[in-house]
Amino acid sequence: MSAAQLLLRRLLEQSGGASETGYLLVIDGEGLENLPDQMPTPKGSYGVHRISSELGLRHLLWKAKGAPLIAVMPEDVARRIQNAPDLLRRARNQRVHALSVNDVLEVVLGVRVVGADAPYMQQLALENVERLGFAMSHRTLPTVVDRRLLTELLVDVSVGEQVRTRSPAQLLAAWVQEPPRWSPNISQLVRDAMPSLHGDEGRLLAWALAEPEKRLRDLVVYGAVLTVEAAELPKPAWGPLWRAATEPPLEMDRRILRRTVARLAEETLALLGDAAGDLLAGADRVGRESLTPTQLQTSRVLPLAFSDRCHELAQQAASGKAISAADITWLSNHRAARMHRGDLAVLESMARISRYLNQPFSPKLDLLEQVRDYQRGGAFVDLAMMQLRRALASSVHYHAEANKLLAACRERRDRENRHFAETLSGGYEAALHREGLTPLHRLWKRTVAPVWQHEPDARLFLVVLDGCSYPVFLELLYALAQDSSFPLGIKPDASGLVAGLPALSPLPTITSHARGAIFLGELPNDPLISETVFRDQDEAKTDKARFNQNAALGSRNRRLFLKGDLTDGGQELLSALEDESLSVVGVVFNAVDDQIGSSNTGATVKISPEDITAFKPALRVALKAKRRVLITADHGHSLFVDKSLRSGNGKTPRYTALGKHEPVPEGFIEINIAGLGGPPERRAFAWRSGAYLGGSQVGFHGGCGLEEVVVPLAWLERDGLHADEPAWWYGRGALAEVTTEVKPVQPPIVTPLPSDEVPAKPKAQLSLFNPADKADSLPIPKELLAKLSLDEKSILVLLRETGSARASELAERLKKNPGRLNGLMRSLRRTLHEGGHVLFSDEVLPSGETMYRYQPKEGR
């Protein structure tokens, strides 16, 4: 049966039922587009006719001669017929019948419909009647379609299901970028639906949709301003929300409104990401005009708060005060951190340096302790300084403060270097061969030989990173350990510490001398050759020759790969590592040394394992081939600071030969190395970081600074770890912790006599975590309060403090099963009702969860 037939049958029933004679007058409308010619009934078949004039009706009735019929006419014709008494008097019920919207919907949807009383809803329902029927066909058929369900259906067919299925923040993020342009009826429909679909956030969206071009932006802008952590805020900070709080559709307590709009704005800004820049700029402007700087800095959203806090912390570090890890965590969690990654990187490095400078300077007398202190502290601050210089290259802020901090850190490091240089000057040969240290020429005897004693057949892969300082090694090691596909690192020692072995490069720390010591296994007696003269051809001759002469290797087969041997991408090196006949394979990677030798002093040393040709593949192949991997460097380097540290002319930047009465250059110290490095003569070595002779370049070496002499030496393993950071690196131990001195309880001097008096019961201390302790402040009589359980008291206190809460939130707070909470709430409502009080209302959200809202009202 068609929809038109169903509608006509309903009209017949409303007019008293079918009859053998008479006619029914009907106004044309929705659902009557396709009329049948006949409509059978138990008492006869009704003819169905569409007429267009009063004369046509009269002609139709004359032809029918009393037979039953239904005449469908336009509304203007019906008005004219109402002025014809003879026609109305003979018609059924003596009037022209019309279909209500509910009648149409009930026929189309196949279920009873109530609540379609608003004119705009009726119009929308008639416009979308077919789509309503299609939407209902995809749902479980309800007993009745009430206003709420009808509204939800109309929203789905008018603007799409996203209004119902998306979160309020997702809707606001989409609408603020492209405000919706709906007809007045649709706009009214969506605004009416929002509170029931999305609760308090829906009320805010309903308010904003009244003027979408302006209010949607205001919702985000002023919501961002309201995120500041201050108890009271001036009216300008609220903007239009101050007045809107007391008007429909909001009508909310301002405390609840503030929490809701701040949360909604935060979530929306997170979804907008970089597209939120214009909105945040507007929020900054409002905050600058209406809030004090102290209030402004507490916002977790406003970029201005982020910038002000960064500026304050930068000045704090420049003045000598440490930046705590909590401050950096606050900045990292700030909503504007993504937009200011460069500034955040600057502050992170400044914080680490400031915490390092906050540690007391306590120089060690023993050389081994000095080396270990550098490995576990000084090298990390050198790395932090390097990272700070990189961060400054990408930021336009805080350069003055950072440079002041860097100068203070270099001064501290120079004190350490000077102390280390004086220790070497007091007895170089004894210091170099100190027990517990590994000088590079003793690498085979002190580090490798013990392995061969336990595993005579152990095969070795020696990796030499030319010019790699300890800070650069730390960065490379961290990157290797973070590679989830094949993590590499250092195995913890017996105490659980992860650190490299203490090792020293011989003076002068230049390639020809230090690398010769590694491969020969002894300090070479050859003349010292400066870096500018010692080229790849000389390396290929001397290094390979010395490697073949190394007595510590005995008769073991060996092969050394230098820079010129890696031009094939390292394929021959990988083959050699898999060759079981080769007991020792050595390789030199020149990536670091090539960078520091550049004259591009505007660049900083930055290298990753992936930047070194064949480095990672060689480590992986070696470990898979069950080779022991030992990594080291021939020497470190001291980075260029500025030209003010140039100490004069010279062919070698960090050491120089001295005449009989020649003074030592500024930043240098004279050390007698006897015959342990080149011909015997007076030599001075640079201890000050960045001091140099001759021309400038990215990095220098040859001196006696810790960053040049202390070289990396470590066994690498699969699934190893990167080196342990010092306590101040992540903020632990930056300041001395306050400890409470525990004193023993002293007995009383006079023992008190027993008394017959019963001592008064002490008043119980309020719990810090039980909301029921605050139940006395609830606006209900004490007699009624005594009838409530602890859980019921806690619920009322929580609702009063928060304004509203979902059932799941209350259940989580009370540690209850959410399925049992609704029963508890019904019992609480009955108890309050018996006492004549109503303290809360409830509302079922579209998700099926119940929202409870604190609503104190006096009883009936």
Side-chain angles (χ1 to χ4, degrees), residues 313-444:
L313 292 175
Q315 289 186 324
Q316 175 181 318
S319 65
K321 297 178 182 178
I323 300 176
S324 69
D327 290 325
I328 298 300
T329 300
W330 189 90
L331 292 177
S332 301
N333 294 333
H334 198 280
R335 190 66 63 191
R338 291 179 55 190
M339 302 170 58
H340 300 84
R341 295 184 185 92
D343 294 344
L344 180 59
V346 170
L347 265 296
E348 285 178 340
S349 297
M350 290 184 68
R352 286 170 176 163
I353 296 173
S354 70
R355 292 194 293 265
Y356 170 79
L357 293 175
N358 201 52
Q359 305 295 314
F361 177 60
S362 54
K364 305 294 192 301
L365 297 177
D366 182 67
L367 182 70
L368 177 59
E369 293 301 317
Q370 294 177 36
V371 173
R372 285 176 173 165
D373 276 358
Y374 178 73
Q375 287 181 308
R376 302 171 187 176
F380 281 93
V381 79
D382 284 348
L383 174 60
M385 287 196 291
M386 193 162 57
Q387 292 173 342
L388 177 55
R389 292 177 63 179
R390 291 180 201 152
L392 289 171
S394 302
S395 174
V396 298
H397 300 118
Y398 321 122
H399 280 248
E401 295 86 352
N403 288 330
K404 187 175 181 180
L405 184 66
L406 285 171
C409 191
R410 282 194 297 269
E411 182 181 354
R412 168 72 170 267
R413 286 283 295 106
D414 285 343
R415 293 168 65 190
E416 297 171 356
N417 277 352
R418 180 64 183 263
H419 181 68
F420 177 71
E422 290 173 348
T423 304
L424 294 179
S425 178
Y428 174 71
E429 184 172 0
L432 188 64
H433 296 89
R434 160 76 163 81
E435 184 179 356
L437 286 171
T438 301
L440 288 181
H441 65 289
R442 291 288 182 262
L443 177 148
W444 303 98

Side-chain angles (χ1 to χ4, degrees), residues 543-672:
D543 288 345
K544 290 186 177 182
R546 287 167 174 166
F547 194 52
N548 290 329
Q549 297 171 16
N550 192 328
L553 298 181
S555 59
R556 297 176 185 272
N557 294 332
R558 67 202 76 172
R559 186 172 178 185
L560 178 62
F561 289 82
L562 300 176
K563 185 177 182 179
D565 302 318
L566 302 176
T567 55
D568 62 347
Q571 296 303 308
E572 193 173 354
L573 169 62
L574 300 181
S575 298
L577 290 171
E578 295 175 335
D579 187 353
E580 295 184 0
S581 65
L582 286 175
S583 178
V584 180
V585 176
V587 66
V588 176
F589 293 109
N590 294 80
V592 179
D593 197 56
D594 288 346
Q595 282 199 22
I596 64 175
S598 169
S599 61
N600 181 18
T601 54
T604 57
V605 176
K606 182 175 178 59
I607 192 167
S608 67
E610 292 76 16
D611 297 330
I612 306 174
T613 301
F615 178 55
K616 286 182 70 172
L619 294 176
R620 294 185 179 188
V621 169
L623 290 172
K624 289 180 179 179
K626 297 183 179 180
R627 288 185 181 272
R628 300 291 297 271
V629 177
L630 182 64
I631 188 169
T632 189
D634 51 357
H635 55 75
H637 60 265
S638 184
L639 292 173
F640 173 82
V641 178
D642 57 56
K643 290 187 177 181
S644 65
L645 295 178
R646 185 177 184 273
S647 301
N649 296 321
K651 296 181 179 180
T652 52
R654 296 278 290 176
Y655 77 98
T656 183
L658 299 175
K660 186 175 182 180
H661 301 292
E662 186 177 353
V664 178
E666 180 69 21
F668 286 63
I669 187 173
E670 183 175 353
I671 300 177
N672 181 14

Side-chain angles (χ1 to χ4, degrees), residues 733-795:
L735 298 174
E737 297 183 1
V738 179
T739 58
T740 304
E741 182 181 358
V742 180
K743 297 182 179 180
V745 178
Q746 300 293 333
I749 299 176
V750 179
T751 303
L753 296 175
S755 173
D756 293 334
E757 296 181 4
V758 179
K761 185 177 180 180
K763 187 177 180 180
Q765 182 179 2
L766 292 180
S767 170
L768 297 177
F769 306 102
N770 189 359
D773 292 337
K774 304 177 183 178
D776 292 338
S777 59
L778 292 170
I780 55 178
K782 293 183 179 180
E783 298 79 11
L784 180 57
L785 186 63
K787 297 180 181 179
L788 302 180
S789 66
L790 289 177
D791 288 338
E792 291 173 334
K793 294 176 182 177
S794 298
I795 287 172

Side-chain angles (χ1 to χ4, degrees), residues 49 76 81 95 176 202 243 246 296 308 461-462 524 555 595 629 675 689 714 762 788 811 835 845 848 858:
H49 305 274
D76 58 339
I81 289 175
R95 68 184 180 88
V176 79
R243 181 178 178 182
T246 61
L296 195 61
D308 285 356
F461 179 38
L462 175 66
S555 59
Q595 282 199 22
V629 177
S689 298
L788 302 180
L845 300 177
E858 292 299 327

Side-chain angles (χ1 to χ4, degrees), residues 458-475:
R459 292 178 296 128
L460 181 68
F461 179 38
L462 175 66
V463 179
V464 179
L465 300 173
D466 191 5
C468 181
S469 64
Y470 212 91
V472 175
F473 169 70
L474 291 173
E475 200 166 34

Side-chain angles (χ1 to χ4, degrees), residues 811-827:
E812 181 181 358
R813 185 66 185 271
L814 297 177
K815 308 299 183 186
K816 294 270 182 200
N817 186 336
R820 298 183 177 181
L821 185 74
N822 290 333
L824 178 63
M825 297 301 290
R826 286 194 293 270
S827 174

Side-chain angles (χ1 to χ4, degrees), residues 127 132 162 204 218 393 410 481 590 662 765 792 831:
E127 291 174 359
L132 283 174
Q162 67 273 11
L204 288 168
D218 287 346
R410 282 194 297 269
N590 294 80
E662 186 177 353
Q765 182 179 2
E792 291 173 334
T831 304

